[in-house]
Structure formats: C-alpha cells, structure tokens
C-alpha cells in the first residue's frame, strides 16, 4: 500500500499518556508500590454497571457486564482492605499530588484551586470497586516539540488498575499489587498531524516526566493511548500502546483503516446497497446438512461437539469482506473481531475467502444455492451453538449496516505488529460521577512548596549542565534522550 497524504486526509491525533509515579505508597492507602507474585489469599466478585447522575448507563460498562465474567483477585503483600473495597479510601497521597502539580506547571497548565476525586465506571474487573478514582489537577497548557506547539487539554491524577494474570471464557484473574499505584494522565489536544510527530510528542512528554526523577521505569509503567481521526471518519481510541516506536505504525494503520472504510461506504452507495435491502435479505439459515461430510477439520471438530453451521446472504457485498483495510486485516477480519468479542465465538467464514480452510468448492456452491445468491452477493458462515449463533448474526447484521455509514465509533486495542482490533464500544459521559468517600483537597501553599522540589529543568538547561560536567555535546544529547537520565543524575550527585 502506498503512503497516504496525511495533510489532504485531515489526520488528527491526540495522545493520552499514563505514567506510574514513584511514590512511597499508593494513592489512597499506605501500601507500598512494588510488584509481587507472593499471595496470601484471594476472593471472587461479579461486577455490574450503575446509573450515572442523570440516570443513564454507560454503553461500554453495559458491554462488559453482558460478558457475565467472574473476576478472581489474588492478594499480594502490598494490598489491604482498601484494594479489596472493604475499607474507605484514605485521603489523597500528597507526594503524588505534588509531583503532578510540578509536571502541570512545567507544561504551563493552570492548576485547579481544589481537587475533587471522581469515579469513572470500569467493570472489566481491573478494579474491585467497579470504578477507577481520578481527579483533574491541571487544565490547558502546552509543550513545544521541534518548533510546533502541542496543546495540553487536561492533566489528571488517578489510581492504576489491577494487573491481569490470566483470562478464560468465563473468568479473569487479577493481581492487586498494581491497583492503587499513583498514575499521571496527560491528554494532549488533537494538534498532531503526522505519524512521526505523534512519536516525537510522546517522547518529549515522556522525557519531561523522567526528568522529575519521580516516575517508575520498565515495561508496563508507561502506557500511551491514541485518539486518531481523519476527515469524514470519527475519533477512534486505541488503547495500550507500550512501545514508543510502534506509535507511527499504529497511526498509519488507523488512518488507512478509516480511509478504506470510507471507500467501502462510497462503493456500497454506488452499488445501491441500503439498510432496507440488507434487512430484507437478512435471513440466517441452518446449513449444517451441507457440511455433514466436510473435510474441514475446524468445522468437523465443532460439529462433533453438537454445534451447527448457519449462513446468511449479504446482498451486493461481493468483494467487500475481502477488502484490505490495513496489513493482514480485511473488512471480514473486522466483522470476525466483533463476533469474537460480542458473541464469544471463534470468528466467521465469508465468501471472499472460500473455498479455503478445508471447505470445498462444491460446499461453497451448495451454500450459494441454498441462500439463493446472485453473482454480486456475498455470504457469511458461523459455527456454534444456537444461543451464540443468534447473538453472532445480530452482531454481523449491525456491523454490516454500520459499513453504510463509514467508520464506527469504537475503542480498539493495539497489537504488537502495529495493527489494532476491536475492543469495545466507546464510553460516554455517563461513566463519571463524584467520589463521596474522599473530601476535596485545596491546593494550598504547603503543597505548592513541595511541588517546587519536583519541577523538572528544561531540556536546554539540562543539556548545558551535562556539557559543563565535561561531556561532549553528542554524549550529553544521548543521555538527555535516555530513559536512564534520572539514574545518571543520581550517580553524578552521589559520586
């Protein structure tokens, strides 16, 4: 695929950087912030969504609840009744608050007069309470990166989530060691317009954080989320980017995905496909008899378990399921992701990829005949039990209809190859409500004086200082850009 012209596409990228703070104890209790694998007990819990102040239920929370999973929590040495949600949270950690104020000041942000902790509904099991505690500390601000001014929207202090150990179809197991570790969240404005610039901005903010000497290091201590859109598309949230060098590739792939989805929308419009046409023809049919003697090991294995094979005709969709959206991912892959996440099945087969996977040409022709298909039509096959098949075909119908609109609003997960997959619907404003167990904290002179100790020097000042130590400009620049800059300064100070 050729590189897109991002200026013509109207690419906009915003970053959300989450960085663990290196404090003596957690945000709302006195447990230390180290990680551990030694457990002294566990407990189980089911979580459910709650109504917002306006009586609404957040769509993302409802989605997680419908999975019906059980959550198992392992108790390490550095957890207490606060993590178990059996004791009210303690007052907010002043050390963490001072560090965030210092970073907000370095980013030219306006510090709030009083800190109010909010609850953000999260019922994927990553927090025992069913919500995450978060507080806005700074509003506005900016950072200059290679002559470009990137706006800062908000700076927040929040508790980190529990650490996932394992997951199966019915339950998820978490370690509570990470739950409650102080976390700074910095959200930029959508002022980034190229994939490379996104990486440079993330690096510059990460460098600023490291210069405080008060952030943790290592895999999992810093996570980047991306908000990406192009003209005509929608803001898509991509969660969990842990490697800085992956950011440009993920931005490129998301821009490409939205670009191709808009092309699919236009192609379907040109073919005269409408919602009414899809619904008129949308009649899932039992096709198990077609595959009773199949050579497909995958299908045969499921049939031996008592599963059924159902298929449905999608009018005038020939070639659409095989349409490449990004490297190794097609429109059919997108639909399969929805089926996996929302219906709990392994995926789909579609006519643009068959015959394949042991499914023969004769079986494909039998399916087409049974579904009364025309040359320009497509079909989708799903294997599973009756209850899940119903949910799967409802999901396929909705996603196919969404293709007529272009880009769906969703949250996606970053993958190691720089691509992304569907994760869940995007949450809305209904997920936030006030925390009633923690009193507001006024930003007084005492906390501002503590914050002064953590305000990082600018890169220019640091560079000049390193050269005065006797380093060459090249070596000083290398140390300035190193994730170990705080260790270097600690060793210089000590020796």
């Amino acid at each position: 695929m050729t590189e897109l012209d991002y200026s013509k596409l109207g690419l906009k990228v915003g970053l959300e950087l989450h960085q663990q703070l290196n404090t003596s104890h957690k945000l709302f209790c006195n447990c230390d912030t180290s990680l551990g694998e030694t457990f002294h007990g566990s407990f189980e819990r089911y979580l459910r969504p709650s109504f917002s102040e306006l009586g609404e239920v957040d769509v993302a929370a409802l989605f997680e609840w419908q999975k019906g999973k059980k959550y198992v929590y392992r108790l390490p040495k550095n957890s207490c009744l606060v993590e178990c949600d059996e004791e009210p949270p303690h007052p907010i950690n002043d050390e963490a608050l001072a560090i965030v104020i210092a970073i907000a000041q370095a980013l030219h942000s306006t510090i709030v007069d009083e800190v109010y902790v909010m609850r953000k509904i999260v019922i994927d099991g990553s927090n025992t309470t069913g919500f995450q505690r978060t507080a806005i500390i700074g509003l506005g601000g900016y950072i200059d990166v290679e002559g470009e001014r990137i706006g800062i929207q908000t700076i927040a202090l929040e508790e980190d989530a529990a650490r996932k150990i394992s997951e199966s179809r019915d339950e998820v197991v978490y370690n509570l060691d990470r739950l409650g570790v102080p976390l700074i969240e910095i959200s930029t404005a959508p002022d980034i317009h190229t994939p490379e610039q996104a990486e440079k901005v993330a690096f510059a903010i990460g460098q600023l954080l490291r210069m405080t000497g008060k952030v943790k290091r290592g895999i999992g201590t810093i996570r980047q989320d991306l908000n990406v859109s192009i003209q005509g598309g929608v803001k898509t949230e991509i969660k969990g980017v842990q490697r800085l060098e992956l950011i440009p590739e993920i931005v490129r792939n998301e821009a490409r995905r939205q670009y191709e989805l808009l092309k699919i929308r236009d192609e379907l419009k040109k073919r005269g496909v409408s919602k009414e046409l899809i619904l008129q023809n949308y009649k899932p049919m039992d096709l198990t008899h077609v595959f009773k003697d199949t050579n497909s090991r995958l299908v045969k294995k499921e049939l031996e378990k008592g599963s059924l094979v159902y298929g449905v005709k999608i009018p005038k969709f020939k070639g659409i399921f095989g349409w490449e959206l990004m490297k190794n991912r097609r429109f059919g892959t997108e639909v399969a992701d929805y089926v996996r996440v929302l219906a709990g099945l392994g995926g789909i087969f579609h006519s643009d990829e068959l015959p394949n996977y042991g499914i023969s040409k004769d079986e494909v022709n039998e399916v087409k005949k049974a579904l009364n298909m025309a040359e320009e039509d497509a079909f989708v096959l799903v294997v599973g039990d009756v209850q899940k098949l119903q949910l799967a075909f409802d999901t396929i119908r909705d996603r196919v209809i969404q293709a007529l609109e272009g880009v769906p609003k969703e949250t996606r997960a970053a993958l190691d190859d720089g691509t992304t997959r569907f994760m869940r619907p995007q949450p809305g404003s209904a997920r936030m409500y006030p925390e009633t167990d923690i009193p507001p904290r006024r930003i007084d002179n005492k906390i501002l004086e503590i914050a002064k100790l953590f305000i990082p020097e600018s890169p220019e000042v640091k560079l000049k200082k390193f050269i005065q130590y006797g380093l060459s400009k090249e070596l000083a620049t290398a140390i300035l850009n190193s994730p170990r800059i705080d260790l270097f300064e600690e060793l210089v100070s000590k020796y």
Side-chain angles (χ1 to χ4, degrees), residues 290-301 303 356-363:
V290 175
F291 298 93
K292 64 181 187 299
D293 298 318
T294 187
N295 290 320
S296 171
R297 284 185 291 179
L298 191 61
V299 176
K300 189 184 289 185
K301 184 179 176 183
L303 293 179
N356 205 344
Y357 310 111
I359 295 175
S360 69
K361 188 175 181 180
D362 289 341
E363 287 167 336

Side-chain angles (χ1 to χ4, degrees), residues 31 132 153 189 206 280 286 295 354 370 417 419:
C31 294
Q132 180 190 37
Q153 291 183 332
Q280 285 167 12
D286 188 347
N295 290 320
L354 298 177
D417 64 354
T419 61

Side-chain angles (χ1 to χ4, degrees), residues 30-242:
N30 292 323
C31 294
D32 73 68
T33 60
S34 61
L35 301 182
E37 299 290 346
T38 304
F39 306 109
H40 57 78
S42 66
F43 64 94
E44 300 172 355
R45 190 161 287 177
Y46 288 91
L47 299 174
R48 61 175 176 80
S50 56
F51 289 102
S52 72
E53 289 184 294
L54 300 177
E56 300 169 341
V57 176
D58 179 61
V59 63
L62 190 63
F63 165 75
E64 293 292 348
W65 172 71
Q66 287 170 336
K67 293 180 181 178
K69 291 199 174 186
K70 177 173 73 177
Y71 301 110
V72 180
Y73 298 102
R74 300 276 171 81
L75 299 170
K77 62 179 179 62
N78 63 328
S79 66
C80 65
L81 292 176
V82 173
E83 278 83 34
C84 300
D85 193 31
E86 298 292 342
E87 177 186 332
H90 302 184
I92 196 164
N93 179 339
D94 267 4
E95 182 187 9
L97 180 57
I99 295 167
V100 176
I101 290 171
I103 293 165
Q105 288 175 329
L107 290 168
H108 318 283
S109 184
T110 301
I111 310 300
V112 299
D113 295 328
E114 199 163 17
V115 175
Y116 287 85
V117 179
M118 299 288 288
R119 294 176 175 180
K120 186 194 297 181
I121 296 172
V122 181
I123 60 165
D124 62 359
S126 59
N127 201 308
T128 53
T129 57
F131 56 81
Q132 180 190 37
R133 296 183 177 96
T134 182
I136 296 290
I137 308 300
L139 295 166
Y142 62 88
I143 184 169
D144 292 323
V145 181
E146 295 190 349
E148 294 283 336
R149 179 155 291 185
I150 308 299
I152 302 294
Q153 291 183 332
T154 57
I155 299 173
L157 173 60
E158 54 191 32
E159 57 184 356
D160 205 348
R163 191 157 56 102
K164 188 183 289 187
I165 298 174
S166 64
E167 182 172 7
S168 65
R169 180 171 289 187
D170 301 315
E171 73 174 32
V172 187
V173 181
Y174 285 100
N175 182 342
L176 293 186
D177 56 357
R178 201 178 72 183
L179 180 61
V181 172
L183 198 70
I184 185 172
E185 180 191 62
I186 299 171
S187 301
T188 77
D191 293 342
I192 299 164
H193 301 294
T194 70
E196 294 74 23
Q197 189 183 23
E199 181 183 11
K200 289 171 184 173
V201 173
F203 176 82
I205 295 175
Q207 183 186 59
L208 178 79
L209 295 174
R210 290 191 295 273
M211 284 181 183
T212 65
K214 295 298 291 182
V215 298
K216 287 185 176 289
R217 295 195 300 259
I219 295 294
T221 62
I222 185 167
R223 301 185 294 281
Q224 287 103 181
D225 297 343
L226 308 175
N227 293 308
V228 183
S229 68
I230 65 170
Q231 192 171 0
V234 300
K235 184 185 82 171
T236 299
E237 185 180 25
I238 299 168
K239 305 284 284 184
V241 185
Q242 294 206 6

